[in-house]
Amino acid sequence: MQIGRARQVVTADEIFDLVREDLNCVENAIRVESAASVPAVTTPISKYLEQDGEKRLRAALLLLCSRFAGGGNKRMAIQLGAVVEMLHAATLVHDEMIDGAQTRYAWPSDHIHRANRTCVLAGDWLYIRAFRVALQERVLDVVLGAAQTMVAAGLMQRDRIGRIGITESDCVELAERKTACLFSICGKLGAVAGGVDPRDGGKLGEFAWNLGMAVQLIDDVLEFSRDLEDGKVTLPLVYALEQASVSERDVVAAVLRDRGSDVVPLASVVALVDRYGGIPRTRERARRFADSARQIGAEFPNSVCRRALLTLTELVTERDG
Amino acid sequence: MQIGRARQVVTADEIFDLVREDLNCVENAIRVESAASVPAVTTPISKYLEQDGEKRLRAALLLLCSRFAGGGNKRMAIQLGAVVEMLHAATLVHDEMIDGAQTRYAWPSDHIHRANRTCVLAGDWLYIRAFRVALQERVLDVVLGAAQTMVAAGLMQRDRIGRIGITESDCVELAERKTACLFSICGKLGAVAGGVDPRDGGKLGEFAWNLGMAVQLIDDVLEFSRDLEDGKVTLPLVYALEQASVSERDVVAAVLRDRGSDVVPLASVVALVDRYGGIPRTRERARRFADSARQIGAEFPNSVCRRALLTLTELVTERDG
């Protein structure tokens, strides 16, 4: 919270400047890998990749870690940057399936169904291309492990939908599987591409893991209302429920049970979370993970890349959209 | 058509007897691989694998090819049998997404949506487990290639939905990517596990490719009405359209355009295909692929496995369900 907006913007630019050229190469690699010889295949996939307006945070982290670790194999770092972004995009695409209630447009239901079916195959395509590049770079074992963890997290999350008895440690476990795991891989793969012995890449992996935890918890803050609409109980609500009365818990249970029916308005749950400070407490938890990342990073030898990595830990907890 | 039903049943049993014990091991391997340490993950996946009532045709083919090629590495053949079946199941699961119109039950739309989302993740899980086993067995490059071809086929098929200008060679290309490609891999991987030099496994791959083409075209016959409802133009209709009048083509175009609306009944298209013999002509085309497989198999040295492989080519074209 010490960081003013002006300084934040400058710093973010500085960070991305360090790896901008390599990030452009990652972008090209993604375009090459996701394209297919059949136009019927290429068109829907490129649409999904372009829709992903994120700033390639995972690739940027991997590239920074690789430079920090010596910058040995730049070509490999770029290829692996494409791998982690395609993997991330694949999970988003498979998670993005829409239903009639969610879309803002008056799409006929068969239109929605067709869009979803194409989503599924486009996601498959991205997974498979990511795996092929990872196989060429001899890191597929690690990448398949991360993919498996993320898919398991998705199933776990689906299984918990509408349930009220979720604990803080459930949320932390989910954040770890859903997000921190891939961040950790970015740190480790960056170290490998940079030329560091994999055993010494452990610290970069730990740093990146904590950064990923902070990113996910801030996501839980920013996506709180949408998650609630989907019946997902995330940390802000878990913290509020810890202090809620029995009758307040009953209201939440009713909202989760009857979601979409508008019998009990979502607004009452949002008010409850406000009342018991669920949002600031979640931000505070995220900040503790960012602090842990910073402590690990503080032991790294000083360099422009170290400063960039440390600044990343501040940026992720301060972002508000 | 020379084969009587009684002989057919006995022969199918004989074939499966040859590999029954190994098929049971494949079944166990699938169970082990598809299970997860998290119950929330295991339950939905095992449900999808059990729903797949097929006879593990691809694993049986791989096991037969492996025995035929010397039966060298039985453990590897069993693991690879699990790989091809999990891969096949993953493509089916991702293809199985339902919409409100298709289900026979009066499911509320959010129930359908939830079922579909779980389908997607269960399919991802099966893909990833299949890839991990293939990586251990050092055949992942080949397996990823097949997976990519099948996903591209799915996208190609979606792109063609509702279009009338599909040709025979379009259908053959799709059958090749959708089905024959994986069959061919079963032949080649069977040869490798059996102990044959990969270059000499080419003939088994060719044999299996032709068998797969026959299987897909017979599927096109058996699934003709369902495909038509989905707006898919398959070989029986393509053959009928080659002989149809302009006004008959207009009727088909209207059915494809307005499918589901019942303005033009599907029955009129089924009658058209009947009138121009689209079904027997497709069966005849399938039989020619089976004949090609048989000619390749006839050059193999005589053995009980060769006889089983040759009988497979007869069984697949005669099946009617």
Side-chain angles (χ1 to χ4, degrees):
Chain A
M1 288 301 222
Q2 318 303 328
I3 305 170
R5 177 150 292 274
R7 185 178 145 211
Q8 201 182 109
V9 172
V10 173
T11 317
D13 278 351
E14 277 172 6
I15 292 176
F16 279 95
D17 275 347
L18 276 175
V19 289
R20 191 166 315 275
E21 205 181 303
D22 293 350
L23 270 180
N24 288 337
C25 297
V26 168
E27 214 60 44
N28 280 335
I30 292 174
R31 214 167 297 137
V32 169
E33 288 305 328
S34 62
S37 53
V38 189
V41 180
T42 303
T43 320
I45 292 163
S46 54
K47 199 183 72 194
Y48 288 109
L49 269 177
E50 282 161 22
Q51 270 182 357
D52 176 29
E54 272 204 13
K55 269 183 194 155
R56 309 289 188 205
L57 178 59
R58 288 152 188 83
L61 173 64
L62 192 151
L63 291 169
L64 273 177
C65 288
S66 164
R67 276 185 69 145
F68 175 75
N73 191 339
K74 201 170 173 178
R75 188 204 53 77
M76 185 186 190
I78 288 164
Q79 291 295 95
L80 295 182
V83 167
V84 295
E85 289 296 337
M86 285 194 288
L87 203 56
H88 174 56
T91 63
L92 286 184
V93 167
H94 276 186
D95 203 50
E96 219 182 34
M97 298 209 343
I98 46 171
D99 65 21
Q102 281 167 312
T103 167
R104 287 175 202 86
Y105 316 102
W107 283 1
S109 77
D110 68 323
H111 183 120
I112 291 171
H113 188 65
R114 257 179 288 146
N116 280 336
R117 297 197 113 178
T118 306
C119 262
V120 173
L121 295 173
D124 289 347
W125 182 265
L126 290 173
Y127 268 125
I128 291 169
R129 295 305 301 201
F131 294 153
R132 293 198 91 166
V133 179
L135 181 64
Q136 281 158 16
E137 303 297 334
R138 298 169 190 277
V139 296
L140 185 52
D141 199 24
V142 171
V143 169
L144 278 177
Q148 186 174 313
T149 301
M150 288 190 284
V151 170
L155 282 162
M156 198 185 259
Q157 189 165 37
R158 298 217 56 68
D159 191 56
R160 290 180 183 169
I161 277 180
R163 290 198 196 166
I164 199 172
I166 307 296
T167 65
E168 181 185 23
S169 81
D170 290 335
C171 293
V172 168
E173 186 193 10
L174 192 64
E176 179 174 358
R177 289 168 180 253
K178 206 171 133 178
T179 305
C181 166
L182 184 58
F183 270 76
S184 159
I185 298 286
C186 290
K188 286 179 195 163
L189 292 182
V192 170
V196 162
D197 187 298
R199 282 163 299 184
D200 297 333
K203 279 283 162 195
L204 275 173
E206 263 182 65
F207 167 86
W209 184 91
N210 280 285
L211 183 69
M213 289 300 292
V215 165
Q216 182 55 52
L217 296 196
I218 295 295
D219 267 352
D220 286 352
V221 166
L222 299 174
E223 301 283 313
F224 170 65
S225 302
R226 216 179 102 179
D227 285 339
L228 186 62
E229 280 175 40
D230 290 346
K232 293 176 191 162
V233 176
T234 56
L235 214 41
L237 182 53
V238 168
Y239 285 143
L241 284 170
E242 282 178 11
Q243 299 179 64
S245 66
V246 171
S247 66
E248 283 170 332
R249 288 183 66 92
D250 287 347
V251 169
V252 174
V255 168
L256 290 172
R257 195 181 50 237
D258 304 328
R259 62 186 182 282
S261 73
D262 287 334
V263 176
V264 189
L266 287 179
S268 61
V269 180
V270 175
L272 182 93
V273 169
D274 260 355
R275 190 152 59 247
Y276 292 117
I279 296 287
R281 208 173 141 195
T282 304
R283 280 201 178 270
E284 176 51 34
R285 188 76 191 87
R287 214 147 26 224
R288 267 159 50 211
F289 281 113
D291 285 346
S292 298
R294 222 167 292 138
Q295 279 162 24
I296 296 165
E299 294 171 20
F300 295 161
N302 196 6
S303 73
V304 62
C305 283
R306 184 188 85 155
R307 285 195 298 280
L309 288 171
L310 290 179
T311 308
L312 260 190
T313 64
E314 292 170 349
L315 290 176
V316 296
T317 47
E318 302 315 325
R319 81 201 151 96
D320 46 17
Chain B
M1 290 301 222
Q2 318 302 329
I3 305 169
R5 179 150 291 274
R7 188 182 142 206
Q8 200 180 110
V9 172
V10 173
T11 317
D13 278 351
E14 277 171 5
I15 293 176
F16 279 95
D17 276 346
L18 276 175
V19 289
R20 191 166 315 274
E21 204 181 305
D22 293 350
L23 270 180
N24 288 338
C25 297
V26 167
E27 214 60 42
N28 281 335
I30 292 174
R31 215 168 295 138
V32 169
E33 289 304 330
S34 62
S37 53
V38 190
V41 180
T42 303
T43 320
I45 291 162
S46 54
K47 200 183 73 194
Y48 287 110
L49 269 176
E50 281 161 23
Q51 270 182 358
D52 177 27
E54 272 204 13
K55 270 184 192 154
R56 309 289 188 203
L57 178 59
R58 287 153 189 81
L61 173 65
L62 192 151
L63 292 168
L64 272 178
C65 288
S66 165
R67 278 185 67 146
F68 176 75
N73 191 339
K74 201 169 171 178
R75 188 204 53 77
M76 185 186 191
I78 288 165
Q79 290 295 97
L80 295 182
V83 167
V84 294
E85 289 296 336
M86 285 194 288
L87 204 57
H88 175 56
T91 62
L92 286 184
V93 166
H94 276 186
D95 203 51
E96 219 182 32
M97 298 208 345
I98 45 172
D99 65 22
Q102 281 167 311
T103 166
R104 285 174 204 87
Y105 315 102
W107 282 2
S109 76
D110 69 323
H111 183 120
I112 291 171
H113 188 65
R114 260 180 286 145
N116 280 335
R117 296 197 115 179
T118 307
C119 262
V120 173
L121 295 173
D124 289 348
W125 183 266
L126 290 173
Y127 267 125
I128 291 169
R129 297 304 303 201
F131 294 152
R132 293 197 91 165
V133 179
L135 181 64
Q136 281 158 15
E137 302 297 335
R138 297 170 191 277
V139 296
L140 185 52
D141 198 25
V142 170
V143 169
L144 278 177
Q148 185 173 314
T149 301
M150 288 190 285
V151 170
L155 282 162
M156 198 185 260
Q157 189 165 37
R158 298 217 55 69
D159 191 57
R160 290 181 184 168
I161 278 180
R163 290 198 195 165
I164 198 172
I166 308 295
T167 65
E168 181 184 21
S169 80
D170 290 336
C171 293
V172 167
E173 186 193 10
L174 192 64
E176 180 174 356
R177 290 169 180 252
K178 206 171 134 179
T179 305
C181 167
L182 184 58
F183 271 74
S184 159
I185 298 286
C186 290
K188 287 179 195 163
L189 293 182
V192 170
V196 162
D197 186 298
R199 283 162 299 184
D200 297 334
K203 279 282 161 196
L204 275 173
E206 264 182 66
F207 167 86
W209 184 91
N210 280 285
L211 185 69
M213 289 300 292
V215 165
Q216 182 54 53
L217 296 195
I218 295 295
D219 267 353
D220 286 351
V221 166
L222 300 174
E223 301 283 313
F224 170 65
S225 302
R226 217 179 102 180
D227 285 340
L228 187 61
E229 280 174 41
D230 290 346
K232 293 176 191 161
V233 176
T234 56
L235 214 40
L237 182 54
V238 168
Y239 284 144
L241 284 170
E242 283 178 11
Q243 299 179 63
S245 67
V246 172
S247 66
E248 284 169 331
R249 288 182 68 91
D250 287 347
V251 169
V252 174
V255 168
L256 290 171
R257 196 181 50 235
D258 305 327
R259 63 186 181 282
S261 74
D262 287 334
V263 176
V264 188
L266 288 179
S268 61
V269 179
V270 175
L272 183 94
V273 169
D274 260 355
R275 190 152 58 246
Y276 292 117
I279 297 286
R281 207 173 143 194
T282 305
R283 280 200 178 271
E284 177 52 35
R285 189 78 191 85
R287 218 154 14 228
R288 268 159 50 209
F289 281 113
D291 285 344
S292 298
R294 223 166 293 138
Q295 279 162 23
I296 296 165
E299 293 170 21
F300 296 162
N302 196 6
S303 72
V304 62
C305 283
R306 184 188 85 154
R307 285 195 298 280
L309 288 171
L310 290 178
T311 308
L312 260 191
T313 65
E314 290 170 354
L315 290 176
V316 295
T317 47
E318 302 314 325
R319 82 201 150 97
D320 46 17

